Structure formats: structure tokens, C-alpha cells
Amino acid sequence: MAKSGMNPKTLQYLMGHSDIGVTLNTYTHLGLEDATDELKRMEELADARKEQEKAKEEKPVSQKMFRAI
């Protein structure tokens, strides 16, 4: 559940641990693949934010911009 993205505090509650340290030390083991995946997610988030900023800068097309022929 921890690897699938469940909130650690929720996992702590479900497992009945009184200390979050027990939950994190028992159920979360990181490796190079995990770090690589997280970096990819951060890059995707940065790209999405850039797209949003670009969309804000673009002016909407209006009918005034076209001429009837």
C-alpha cells in the first residue's frame, strides 16, 4: 500500500501503529528504481505547469480576428 501511494498516516492507522516511524521503517523501502520513478513524476509535473503557463499567455481567438470573404 505504501508503494502504491497510500498516505503514510492512513497506513499507520490501518496497521494500528502508534508511531509513524514504525510504519515507515517497516513498510517503505526505497531503491534506485523508486528514486527514478519519483524524478520522472517531478519532471512531468514541471512540464504540466509549463503547459499551464503557456496556455495562460496565449490569447483566445475571437471572431474579430477573422474577415468574412
Side-chain angles (χ1 to χ4, degrees), residues 19-67:
D19 181 8
I20 189 67
V22 173
T23 308
L24 294 174
N25 290 329
T26 304
Y27 296 104
T28 57
H29 305 285
L30 299 177
L32 181 58
E33 183 178 320
D34 298 308
T36 302
D37 291 344
E38 204 58 38
L39 287 173
K40 285 179 186 175
R41 284 180 3 122
M42 290 173 58
E43 287 175 1
E44 290 170 359
L45 178 61
D47 291 343
R49 286 184 174 156
K50 287 178 188 174
E51 287 293 322
Q52 276 187 327
E53 289 301 316
K54 188 188 293 184
K56 285 181 184 178
E57 292 172 5
E58 293 175 0
K59 296 183 180 186
V61 177
S62 70
Q63 288 182 329
K64 292 180 184 178
M65 297 176 88
F66 296 98
R67 280 190 313 178

